[in-house]
Amino acid sequence: MNIRFLIVVVFALGLAAIANAQMPENIEPFKTPFGEFNFKKPVFPDVTVNIKDYGAKEGGTIKNTEAINRAITELAAKGGGKVIVPAGKWLTGPIVLLSNINLHLQEDAELVFSQEFTDYLPAVLTNWEGSEVYSYSPFIYAFEQENIAITGKGVLNGQGKPWWEQRNTEGFWKSNALLKEMNENEVPLNERRFGSLERFLPPVFFGPLYCKNILLEGVTFRYGAFWTINPSFCENLMVRGVYVLTNGEYGDCPNGDGINPNSCKNVLIEYNTLDTGDDCITIKSGRNKDGRRIAMPCKNILIRHNKGLQGHGGIVIGSEMSGGVENVYAHNCRFNGTDRVIRIKTARGRGGYVRNCWFKNISADTIEREAIRINMMYTGGDRLPAQEVTSGTPVIENIHYENVSCDFAKRNVVQIIGIPEMPVKNVSLKNIRLGGNLGVEVVDAQDISFENLSVSNKTGSFAKISFSSNISMENVEVLKTEPGKTPFVFNTVSGANLKNVKHNLSRELVKITGESENIKIDDNISKEQIREIE
């Protein structure tokens, strides 16, 4: 069967599955290459209270912070149950969830969060971009609680513009730099005190710490101050059927990420819609020394049936991944208009690792940058000679892509960039169909395999591979490239192995000027199709 036809059929079936997917009431088992997971929703006592019974006033002008938190506190003291937010607009400051509480927003209910910064004081222990700190409370907070939920068909409206405006001031940038410096210098946590205009860090929307058995289901999050759903050091987290909007008519939330589990274990992210001003779904595990000191990896992260309408990345890992990320399995997701489809990012100084990740049946339309990107030089700069391997040297290995499509990427269709002292290792790409402006680029990598790859790039060479080893391409179809350009460019490559590579290009071939023992050319490919740059 024609390879291209087979790939197109596979993707058509995959897209149909995504388009027709409906969230079931119960959570279906999730089979992965690293085991089967059966998530169970937290169960709550059959007791219900209404925030109106605790003095809450509808209308969006009277703050109901005390009434809502008193309802939660008193019900939790009796063993827990459901706290009802009825239809209407309810103004509030930060909400603190306690064990065995389900905060349930009925249809047409809207929790509107206060725009007064002082309402989010006193400062609480939180995690800000992977660093521990005492700062403004998240809009919804929990610490060391079990069995907590936010459910229903209502809206949580962060109305975050004042936070965004303050983020553009010198106070924010100095505070951001100061926290990073405290992290690097291992300043004791009790000395990391923020929560003022001079030490300003905008809070996340939903930010529980050290909690277990968490369910978010059905609700809408709109326009927070910063990242939206950002649990840290939590276990058994389920995010289902949630809509996150951070970039729309109200404005564009800076760093308005959607779902960002940080150093969490056993996470299910399914049937969500992300319409964000930054990354849609991002897996993290702490920044630099804080991440390595706490050493809690983000582990067993399961992602399926999600849609991204806009954002910097569809599924992203990093760049804060110093505690390690392992066992990630994502399938049947669709992204439209994001900057990238699947992205892994880190840099020297992070340390930690990303390993054992599978991405299957992922599709996208027009992408603003690279479709698939692994980048170990996220902070920028030119390629340097190999550095000493230390605790700050990151590792990326065992990453697998299968049945991934993108109509058009405005930069590279695939870009894999390692660092000389720690190349990206063991990456497989199988049944891949990508269109884009630029082709495949691989730098400082080893054991990279492409199988059943169909690529159409407008300019430059189909593949540029340098400072790498054991590169394999089998059943590759180059559909289009810039006339007169050589499709394969190799620079300092060891063990390149090409099989069954074909193209329909019309151009003058550039001949190899010299023999090289470092390049293995299969009999099926002519030397005239490969150029080595000295």
Side-chain angles (χ1 to χ4, degrees):
M1 180 181 292
N2 179 273
I3 294 171
R4 185 185 180 192
F5 174 76
L6 178 60
I7 293 174
V8 170
V9 169
V10 169
F11 285 118
L13 293 174
L15 290 180
I18 295 170
N20 295 327
Q22 299 293 325
M23 184 177 73
E25 175 64 26
N26 296 319
I27 300 174
E28 298 175 340
F30 205 130
K31 295 181 179 180
T32 77
F34 42 87
E36 181 172 319
F37 294 81
N38 290 282
F39 285 84
K40 302 296 182 183
K41 298 181 186 180
V43 177
F44 301 94
D46 188 18
V47 180
T48 298
V49 299
N50 193 304
I51 62 171
K52 292 193 297 184
D53 297 333
Y54 291 81
K57 302 297 183 182
E58 192 271 337
T61 58
I62 299 174
K63 291 178 185 175
N64 296 292
T65 315
E66 182 180 352
I68 295 171
N69 283 309
R70 188 156 57 88
I72 291 171
T73 301
E74 293 188 10
L75 186 58
K78 297 176 182 178
K82 183 183 292 185
V83 174
I84 297 292
V85 180
K89 181 177 289 188
W90 309 89
L91 179 64
T92 183
I95 295 172
V96 181
L97 291 180
L98 301 175
S99 293
N100 301 311
I101 293 296
N102 176 6
L103 183 66
H104 183 80
L105 281 70
Q106 292 183 338
E107 191 169 3
D108 296 324
E110 182 179 12
L111 280 174
V112 181
F113 286 84
S114 167
Q115 296 178 317
E116 298 291 331
F117 297 169
T118 54
D119 287 344
Y120 299 86
L121 296 174
V124 301
L125 175 62
T126 186
N127 193 279
W128 201 87
E129 281 197 342
S131 296
E132 289 191 299
V133 64
Y134 283 93
S135 190
Y136 293 112
S137 171
F139 291 1
I140 302 177
Y141 183 66
F143 182 75
E144 293 185 342
Q145 304 299 305
E146 296 188 19
N147 299 330
I148 58 176
I150 304 174
T151 63
K153 297 181 179 180
V155 173
L156 301 109
N157 184 354
Q159 53 175 7
K161 276 186 180 179
W163 301 95
W164 309 349
E165 292 167 358
Q166 186 63 29
R167 186 187 180 281
N168 291 326
T169 66
E170 185 179 5
F172 165 74
W173 294 109
K174 285 184 176 180
S175 301
N176 189 3
L178 177 60
L179 182 58
K180 291 177 181 177
E181 180 181 318
M182 288 177 165
N183 180 329
E184 195 61 29
N185 293 331
E186 301 180 270
V187 172
L189 179 56
N190 62 7
E191 297 179 21
R192 303 184 190 186
R193 299 284 175 173
F194 290 67
S196 66
L197 297 185
E198 292 74 28
R199 287 195 171 186
F200 177 83
L201 299 171
V204 302
F205 206 133
F206 177 68
L209 264 67
Y210 300 102
C211 295
K212 294 182 179 180
N213 304 328
I214 305 167
L215 174 67
L216 302 180
E217 187 172 72
V219 294
T220 293
F221 289 85
R222 290 181 182 166
Y223 305 111
F226 185 58
W227 292 352
T228 306
I229 298 171
N230 181 217
S232 293
F233 319 117
C234 294
E235 185 173 349
N236 297 335
L237 166 69
M238 292 149 275
V239 184
R240 309 183 71 231
V242 165
Y243 177 51
V244 177
L245 175 63
T246 65
N247 186 8
E249 291 184 1
Y250 180 78
D252 181 6
C253 174
N255 297 112
D257 292 35
I259 303 171
N260 290 14
N262 175 69
S263 291
C264 294
K265 181 180 179 182
N266 299 338
V267 177
L268 175 66
I269 301 171
E270 65 174 4
Y271 298 98
N272 302 291
T273 300
L274 296 313
D275 199 352
T276 69
D278 210 300
D279 293 327
C280 295
I281 299 170
T282 308
I283 314 304
K284 298 177 179 288
S285 66
R287 175 186 288 272
N288 296 13
K289 288 188 177 180
D290 271 16
R292 299 197 297 273
R293 171 177 54 82
I294 298 170
M296 290 182 64
C298 219
K299 184 175 182 180
N300 303 336
I301 313 301
L302 315 177
I303 302 168
R304 62 186 174 190
H305 301 300
N306 298 284
K307 298 177 183 178
L309 303 182
Q310 60 178 329
H312 289 182
I315 300 172
V316 179
I317 300 176
S319 69
E320 300 85 6
M321 39 65 69
S322 303
V325 174
E326 61 184 299
N327 296 350
V328 177
Y329 186 47
H331 74 80
N332 289 84
C333 296
R334 171 75 174 174
F335 299 101
N336 302 322
T338 56
D339 285 2
R340 297 173 177 92
V341 186
I342 305 166
R343 182 186 190 188
I344 301 174
K345 53 184 179 178
T346 185
R348 288 186 176 98
R350 287 281 190 263
Y353 58 84
V354 177
R355 63 168 64 106
N356 302 337
C357 302
W358 285 262
F359 306 98
K360 187 175 182 180
N361 298 336
I362 310 292
S363 64
D365 58 3
T366 297
I367 297 299
E368 294 300 313
R369 300 190 180 186
E370 303 84 8
I372 295 174
R373 193 182 203 211
I374 299 175
N375 182 16
M376 296 181 74
M377 296 182 64
Y378 173 63
T379 53
D382 297 328
R383 181 182 186 271
L384 299 173
Q387 309 293 298
E388 179 185 359
V389 174
T390 68
S391 61
T393 305
V395 174
I396 297 179
E397 60 188 4
N398 302 332
I399 313 296
H400 309 284
Y401 306 86
E402 184 175 356
N403 296 346
V404 178
S405 73
C406 175
D407 294 340
F408 190 83
K410 293 184 180 180
R411 293 189 182 178
N412 293 88
V413 295
V414 176
Q415 189 176 58
I416 300 173
I417 301 175
I419 51 179
E421 66 270 24
M422 190 62 66
V424 176
K425 300 175 183 176
N426 189 26
V427 177
S428 67
L429 300 98
K430 183 178 181 180
N431 298 340
I432 308 295
R433 182 179 62 83
L434 304 172
N437 190 40
L438 300 172
V440 175
E441 181 180 11
V442 178
V443 183
D444 287 312
Q446 66 184 49
D447 300 317
I448 312 297
S449 67
F450 298 85
E451 182 181 354
N452 296 345
L453 176 67
S454 176
V455 166
S456 172
N457 62 291
K458 291 180 63 176
T459 62
S461 301
F462 155 68
K464 294 183 178 181
I465 303 174
S466 58
F467 306 108
S468 300
S469 62
N470 299 327
I471 309 298
S472 173
M473 293 186 179
E474 184 169 359
N475 294 332
V476 173
E477 187 174 23
V478 184
L479 302 178
K480 185 179 180 182
T481 194
E482 185 178 356
K485 292 290 185 179
T486 306
F488 306 101
V489 179
F490 292 86
N491 180 15
T492 318
V493 179
S494 175
N497 185 9
L498 282 70
K499 296 180 179 179
N500 305 325
V501 178
K502 60 182 179 178
H503 59 83
N504 59 3
L505 310 178
S506 174
R507 81 244 173 280
E508 180 180 356
L509 298 177
V510 179
K511 296 183 179 181
I512 294 178
T513 58
E515 297 291 331
S516 173
E517 295 180 357
N518 291 328
I519 294 182
K520 177 183 177 183
I521 303 173
D522 190 87
D523 292 337
N524 293 329
I525 208 76
S526 66
K527 292 182 179 180
E528 285 78 12
Q529 289 176 269
I530 301 177
R531 176 180 65 187
E532 181 177 2
I533 302 175
E534 297 296 332

